Amino acid sequence: MATAVETLDKLERRITLTVALAEINEEIEKRLKVRARTAKAPGFRPGKVPMKMVAAQYGAMVENEVLNDKVSRAFGEAAASSNLRVAGFPTIEPKADEKVDGALVFQATFEVYPDVKIGDLAAVEVEKTRADITDAEIDKTIDILRKQRVHYHTKGEAGAHGDGGPDRSAQDGDRVTLDFVGRIDGVEFAGGKADDFPFVLGEGQMLKEFEDATRGLKAGESRTFPLSFPADYHGKDVAGKTAEFTITVKGVEWAHLPEVDAEFAKSLGVADGDLNKMRDDIRANLEREVGNRVKARTKASVMDALIKVAELDVPKALLEQDAERLADMTRQDMRQRGMDVKDMPFPADLFTAQADRRVRLGLILSEMVKANALQATANQIKAHVDDFAKAYEDPQQVVKYYFSDRNRLAEVEALVLEENVVNFVLSKAKVTEKPVSFDELMGNQG
């Protein structure tokens, strides 16, 4: 039995629950009899232990189980009969100041889901990102693919690809192997010495002074030069200090990039080596990647707009749960990176803002779907999986992977729901198209 629902705050509610002692005792007796069938005690065969001994051994544990079950069931029934959508878990405590003959009294304090009011979508301003794929982007991608397949030859040594030209000195793009030693006030320091150290000149792997000093040297030549470490250098012992380095070049190799020919196309998975087909495949892959990034930017703009136009209170229980979930995800990620996080503090407020946005958007999207019949259809889910599978060598295997697990399909359904909401908002809102360069979209800006 439960009392009427008390409103404590905007979302906080309270119910008083009464559970009959007779029901509790009857259930405890039933469960102890079940325990007695397999109970063991010295001097007794299994199942022959006296009930008094069974009660002494298991009584407290069984009583706790029964109380939890009975009170939880009473709360669930009370919430259902009052049509309450409970957010998070209730806090249930014995109500010591209230006595009822033949019953135990508990007080349940909890939050309910808020009413979500969506404002006028016609007044919402949204940016829809657009990016174009041209031949220039395909050529640039081919150059990147060539560089990924680069191999090096010693300058001056003739081979199938030539000898690298008459200039034997180290230039940008060359791979240089050298010995180096650094000293501060005449004393070598940790990490300031290496033998047979290779790096590609001009790619920023080393500090500018180091690369400048290496440029122009030939195999066998040495140079001594000053190098000033930046104040924010990762090596705290040398940050902000000036060292004297001596380098000795052991070898200089020039970079040979593969020709864009049939063999190159085959290395990219084009079985017959057709260059036109290779470009078509690259274009398709770029369009898929660009499409995903464009959608992500547009979706972010829509979500920002929805947060501004929606009115709702966020349940503290959901906020705390999501903040803890984000903290756990961060811990797991750091562990996977090899970091020791056992004694590392994770303040709750570190994740509060992110959790608030996630919970708020979840409630808004749920309301949008319900109010506008934007549920994901089976055809939409299948199309989404098929499109995702195109990026893999064996699309059918990927499709099978998703459809063999309900949890994986649920993840796809969530993405489709978001897409449905985004498209619905775009159909109502004031949409401004925002052209973005390929490099900006892909994060290739210098």
Side-chain angles (χ1 to χ4, degrees):
M1 188 177 77
T3 63
V5 180
E6 298 177 67
T7 298
L8 305 181
D9 200 354
K10 290 179 180 178
L11 300 178
E12 195 172 29
R13 305 287 185 270
R14 185 165 60 203
I15 296 178
T16 298
L17 306 168
T18 305
V19 183
L21 276 170
E23 289 183 22
I24 294 171
N25 292 332
E26 183 181 347
E27 184 63 26
I28 290 173
E29 188 177 345
K30 281 182 184 178
R31 296 193 187 188
L32 285 176
K33 285 179 179 178
V34 172
R35 288 272 183 180
R37 294 172 191 166
T38 55
K40 295 179 182 178
F44 297 94
R45 287 180 295 161
K48 299 297 182 181
V49 180
M51 279 300 298
K52 284 186 178 180
M53 293 182 67
V54 174
Q57 187 175 354
Y58 298 106
M61 180 178 67
V62 170
E63 181 179 347
N64 191 51
E65 288 176 357
V66 170
L67 273 175
N68 283 336
D69 288 350
K70 289 290 183 184
V71 174
S72 295
R73 184 176 293 115
F75 175 75
E77 290 171 354
S81 66
S82 299
N83 295 317
L84 296 173
R85 295 177 62 229
V86 180
F89 299 101
T91 299
I92 301 177
E93 299 173 319
K95 195 173 182 183
D97 61 344
E98 187 167 328
K99 304 291 183 183
V100 176
D101 290 339
L104 296 178
V105 183
F106 297 86
Q107 188 170 268
T109 306
F110 56 97
E111 288 181 289
V112 294
Y113 278 90
D115 291 328
V116 180
K117 297 178 182 177
I118 308 294
D120 183 11
L121 292 178
V124 168
E125 295 182 0
V126 176
E127 282 187 348
K128 186 176 183 180
T129 303
R130 179 177 64 80
D132 299 320
I133 303 295
T134 68
D135 284 343
E137 280 71 55
I138 295 172
D139 291 338
K140 188 179 295 185
T141 302
I142 289 173
D143 285 340
I144 292 171
L145 292 168
R146 291 177 71 205
K147 287 176 182 176
Q148 290 173 351
R149 289 158 176 75
V150 67
H151 53 278
Y152 294 90
H153 303 286
T154 301
K155 278 191 169 182
E157 288 186 4
H161 300 128
D163 62 2
D167 186 357
R168 304 291 186 254
S169 65
Q171 301 299 326
D172 286 351
D174 291 340
R175 184 168 67 184
V176 183
T177 302
L178 47 73
D179 298 340
F180 67 80
V181 59
R183 298 179 177 86
I184 295 177
D185 297 329
V187 179
E188 293 182 17
F189 56 90
K193 182 177 182 180
D195 294 330
D196 297 321
F197 180 79
F199 71 98
V200 177
L201 190 57
E203 292 192 351
Q205 293 174 254
M206 308 296 286
L207 291 174
K208 184 178 182 300
E209 293 99 321
F210 200 102
E211 293 208 344
D212 288 345
T214 304
R215 196 174 288 108
L217 293 181
K218 298 177 182 177
E221 294 182 340
S222 299
R223 180 172 287 164
T224 298
F225 60 96
L227 186 150
S228 298
F229 288 100
D232 59 353
Y233 191 68
H234 59 81
K236 294 181 181 179
D237 293 340
V238 299
K241 297 180 180 179
T242 298
E244 183 180 77
F245 273 87
T246 298
I247 58 176
T248 301
V249 176
K250 307 285 280 294
V252 180
E253 299 170 292
W254 63 282
H256 176 260
L257 298 174
E259 298 296 327
V260 181
D261 54 17
E263 288 305 312
F264 180 73
K266 288 177 182 178
S267 74
L268 297 178
V270 181
D272 59 4
D274 187 299
L275 294 181
N276 288 328
K277 188 174 186 308
M278 178 193 74
R279 292 182 70 88
D280 289 343
D281 286 351
I282 290 173
R283 181 185 291 277
N285 288 330
L286 287 180
E287 287 176 345
R288 187 179 299 110
E289 179 63 21
V290 165
N292 289 336
R293 296 194 181 209
V294 161
K295 280 184 180 179
R297 285 197 174 205
T298 301
K299 182 173 84 171
S301 180
V302 168
M303 297 304 165
D304 288 343
L306 283 174
I307 284 179
K308 289 177 184 176
V309 79
E311 293 181 23
L312 71 153
D313 295 306
V314 175
K316 294 174 187 175
L318 298 185
L319 187 60
E320 290 169 1
Q321 286 174 20
D322 202 64
E324 185 57 40
R325 190 179 300 116
L326 289 170
D328 286 340
M329 289 166 59
T330 302
R331 288 189 192 96
Q332 290 173 16
D333 180 62
M334 293 174 76
R335 285 194 196 99
Q336 288 172 358
R337 295 170 185 268
M339 300 176 67
D340 183 5
V341 297
K342 185 173 63 175
D343 299 319
M344 192 177 295
F346 285 84
D349 58 358
L350 191 66
F351 303 95
T352 300
Q354 188 181 355
D356 181 85
R357 178 181 172 86
R358 282 162 52 101
V359 173
R360 193 175 293 272
L361 279 174
L363 295 170
I364 293 170
L365 291 176
S366 178
E367 177 61 26
M368 289 286 294
V369 169
K370 183 176 68 174
N372 302 289
L374 301 176
Q375 290 81 4
T377 67
N379 287 339
Q380 284 180 316
I381 294 171
K382 177 67 166 62
H384 199 91
V385 172
D386 287 344
D387 186 60
F388 181 70
K390 288 177 185 175
Y392 292 84
E393 214 170 299
D394 188 349
Q396 282 305 116
Q397 195 64 31
V398 176
V399 171
K400 184 179 178 182
Y401 170 81
Y402 274 94
F403 277 89
S404 64
D405 188 306
R406 288 185 179 180
N407 290 330
R408 295 183 197 126
L409 274 186
E411 292 173 5
V412 177
E413 182 180 5
L415 292 174
V416 173
L417 284 174
E418 286 185 357
E419 200 169 283
N420 287 349
V421 171
V422 168
N423 291 335
F424 181 81
V425 173
L426 290 175
S427 72
K428 305 289 184 183
K430 296 176 182 177
V431 180
T432 303
E433 194 171 80
K434 182 185 178 183
V436 175
S437 72
F438 176 82
D439 281 343
E440 181 186 345
L441 186 68
M442 305 301 285
N444 296 334
Q445 287 184 313

